[in-house]
Amino acid sequence: MNTNEFARTLLLGIKNLLSWIGIPRHLLDKLDEILFLVCIVTIAFVVAAVVHLLLVRAARKILKRKHLDFFDSLFRYSVFRKSTALIPPLIVSALLPFAFATDSAWFTVSERVTWIYFFIVLMISVNAILNTVGDTLKNDGQLKNRPIKGFIQIFQVIFSCVVVIVVVSILIDKSPVNLITGLGAFTAVLMLVFKDPILGLVAGVMISENDMLRIGDWIEMPQNGINGTVTDISLTVIKVQNFDNTIVTVPPYSLVSGSFVNWRGMSDSGGRRIMREYTLKLDCIKPCTPEFLERMKAFDEELAQFIAEKQRQAAEGKVANTENPDGLVNGTIETNLGLLRAYMALYLRRHPFVSRDLLLMVRTLPATENGLPVQIYCFSSDKNWPSYESIQAEIMEHFVAVLPAFELYAFQRTGARDVLLNGIAASGKADLATMETAPLHTDPSEKQGT
């Protein structure tokens, strides 16, 4: 009763004010309900503005005392303004019975518009809050590399769909449950219209559940021209910055339906793999003579110890070193190639940037028409790309440089100049020692022969 008296007093004051301005009294008497509706709407928005002002001032005072990323995100997404926009429809809905009779058409229309406005503003404010939460979680140390943005967008899509259903049910004055059951006939249309978001939703869940991809991962997907670092993961697109600084976008479901290489395992491990080989000429591989072994003992101190240990094992009748099962893989003293493998294994083990905790070996691969490939397999402890390339180049350059000491030579296709020099050497009309280069190894005994 007191509330009704207040409403009538307020309405009378508005009429007197408008009458004083010059609006006829008989016209004002016909607009009682409209005037009261305008009054309560105005009051509702004024209250919302005051609450917004108080919240902003309080938040700024907190930020002056202590910087918080969460409050920065609140201002970035205008959460205070969007959230306080929920106050007007709530006030208007509570005061509508004082403006109109509950059975009047004006009351029905006003109430529907008020609640539609409320749910639309609620969707906008919830999306802003979710964006704020997403930014805060991305700065968290444990969740920094997780596809948080994709999860946030999933919640936003689900909540937006619920709001749309509720708004439509208000417009047609039907229960949301009845509306949902009636959507079965439009499933095919919805699948067609929202194909990308639905596929992105499923792919995002699979990627997150199986931890297939994180922001900052280096991935390689040749079929889509991708070879770079993941910079963003959302519901409908994944952004990758290639090493040439180009940006490639790809839908999440293409990663799930296809295949891609994720180098995170290498980054998280203790080293980055080096796997390179040179093909050696077969006619240079020969058994080691005692004289050759003695000469090679002076080449490297550790190699001398290896040769001595193998000679001792041979004298004792041991075929292999049972205490070192990879001994035969990483070298023998039976051939000059076996001795080279032993030396390179020793070289890699004492290299300061080769991991000693991961697999290391020097092995031969199946022979080809060009010769016998010898492969270096180890891991660089420095995973930085330029450093890794420098370490790999240093190892392979050293490999080539020591080949002549073991009387081994890499296969190299001959060019026009090589053919010319070989022809001159074969003719016997030039001294090999005075020639600028002799591309193919020539045994000194061949000088007098051919």
Side-chain angles (χ1 to χ4, degrees):
M1 187 68 180
N2 293 333
T3 306
N4 290 334
E5 289 294 333
F6 173 76
R8 279 193 289 269
T9 303
L10 181 62
L11 182 60
L12 182 60
I14 295 172
K15 284 184 178 181
N16 292 334
L17 177 62
L18 295 176
S19 179
W20 178 76
I21 293 173
I23 299 177
R25 189 76 182 188
H26 65 87
L27 182 61
L28 295 175
D29 291 337
K30 295 179 179 180
L31 300 176
D32 283 354
E33 295 177 339
I34 303 300
L35 288 174
F36 193 75
L37 178 62
V38 171
C39 179
I40 61 177
V41 169
T42 303
I43 292 173
F45 279 96
V46 169
V47 172
V50 172
V51 173
H52 173 258
L53 181 63
L54 294 175
L55 288 175
V56 170
R57 285 188 175 182
R60 293 193 186 280
K61 286 183 178 180
I62 294 174
L63 278 176
K64 287 182 179 180
R65 295 179 180 178
K66 185 178 181 181
H67 180 77
L68 297 173
D69 293 336
F70 179 73
F71 280 94
D72 285 340
S73 298
L74 289 177
F75 284 109
R76 186 183 307 116
Y77 293 105
S78 304
V79 173
F80 294 120
R81 179 176 56 81
K82 294 174 182 177
S83 299
T84 52
L86 294 169
I87 296 176
L90 295 176
I91 295 177
V92 171
S93 177
L95 296 179
L96 271 180
F98 299 111
F100 306 105
T102 55
D103 57 348
S104 66
W106 277 103
F107 177 83
T108 303
V109 172
S110 300
E111 187 179 41
R112 288 186 182 180
V113 171
T114 300
W115 283 112
I116 289 173
Y117 174 82
F118 171 80
F119 282 108
I120 292 175
V121 172
L122 178 64
M123 178 181 67
I124 295 173
S125 60
V126 168
N127 286 340
I129 293 172
L130 287 174
N131 287 330
T132 302
V133 173
D135 283 0
T136 305
L137 292 178
K138 282 194 294 185
N139 294 328
D140 184 85
Q142 296 180 346
L143 301 175
K144 184 176 181 180
N145 295 321
R146 296 288 181 176
I148 299 298
K149 188 174 181 180
F151 281 120
I152 295 298
Q153 289 182 332
I154 290 172
F155 290 130
Q156 288 176 332
V157 169
I158 293 175
F159 187 77
S160 299
C161 291
V162 172
V163 169
V164 169
I165 292 173
V166 172
V167 169
V168 173
S169 66
I170 293 174
L171 285 173
I172 64 177
D173 196 21
K174 297 290 184 181
S175 170
V177 177
N178 295 335
L179 186 62
I180 292 174
T181 56
L183 287 176
F186 301 99
T187 301
V189 177
L190 291 174
M191 289 289 291
L192 181 63
V193 174
F194 298 103
K195 181 188 71 171
D196 289 342
I198 292 173
L199 290 175
L201 171 64
V202 176
V205 172
M206 293 180 64
I207 289 173
S208 302
E209 182 67 22
N210 298 314
D211 196 18
M212 298 168 61
L213 196 65
R214 300 177 188 172
I215 294 176
D217 283 355
W218 168 20
I219 65 172
E220 190 174 347
M221 201 174 185
Q223 62 269 33
N224 290 330
I226 292 176
N227 186 10
T229 305
V230 178
T231 59
D232 190 26
I233 302 175
S234 64
L235 185 62
T236 56
V237 69
I238 292 176
K239 292 182 180 179
V240 180
Q241 183 175 11
N242 283 339
F243 288 117
D244 57 359
N245 289 330
T246 57
I247 304 296
V248 181
T249 58
V250 62
Y253 58 83
S254 66
L255 299 181
V256 177
S257 60
S259 61
F260 67 97
V261 178
N262 191 331
W263 292 89
R264 188 202 313 157
M266 180 274 296
S267 301
D268 294 342
S269 68
R272 185 169 178 177
R273 188 182 69 177
I274 296 174
M275 187 174 67
R276 292 286 179 90
E277 66 264 359
Y278 279 115
T279 301
L280 305 185
K281 296 171 61 180
L282 288 171
D283 56 354
C284 294
I285 302 174
K286 58 186 179 181
C288 290
T289 62
E291 295 77 17
F292 179 77
L293 292 176
E294 291 302 319
R295 189 169 67 250
M296 293 309 297
K297 286 181 180 180
F299 181 76
D300 182 81
E301 184 178 348
E302 289 189 24
L303 182 61
Q305 296 175 2
F306 176 84
I307 295 173
E309 177 64 21
K310 290 296 181 180
Q311 286 175 332
R312 183 185 63 80
Q313 292 177 10
E316 295 175 356
K318 294 181 179 178
V319 178
N321 185 0
T322 55
E323 297 178 357
N324 184 16
D326 68 338
L328 293 178
V329 175
N330 286 327
T332 68
I333 60 172
E334 303 301 323
T335 63
N336 56 347
L337 178 55
L339 202 58
L340 172 69
R341 289 189 288 115
Y343 169 75
M344 287 305 300
L346 295 171
Y347 171 79
L348 293 174
R349 287 194 176 98
R350 65 173 179 254
H351 197 288
F353 296 109
V354 173
S355 174
R356 295 169 179 80
D357 300 325
L358 300 175
L359 182 61
L360 182 155
M361 62 180 175
V362 182
R363 60 173 182 161
T364 58
L365 301 179
T368 67
E369 66 276 10
N370 296 327
L372 184 65
V374 178
Q375 185 184 76
I376 301 290
Y377 190 101
C378 60
F379 289 83
S380 166
S381 56
D382 191 336
K383 292 171 283 188
N384 177 263
W385 192 9
S387 301
Y388 162 79
E389 292 293 347
S390 297
I391 295 166
Q392 181 172 240
E394 177 189 341
I395 292 172
M396 300 312 294
E397 289 162 3
H398 183 79
F399 185 10
V400 174
V402 300
L403 283 178
F406 291 84
E407 299 181 7
L408 292 165
Y409 298 89
F411 173 82
Q412 185 177 2
R413 294 187 183 277
T414 56
R417 188 168 186 275
D418 298 327
V419 174
L420 177 62
L421 292 174
N422 287 330
I424 295 173
S427 67
K429 296 182 179 180
D431 186 0
L432 294 178
T434 62
M435 293 177 63
E436 292 184 5
T437 179
L440 300 180
H441 171 64
T442 305
D443 194 298
S445 62
E446 295 178 359
K447 287 186 178 181
Q448 291 94 19
T450 59

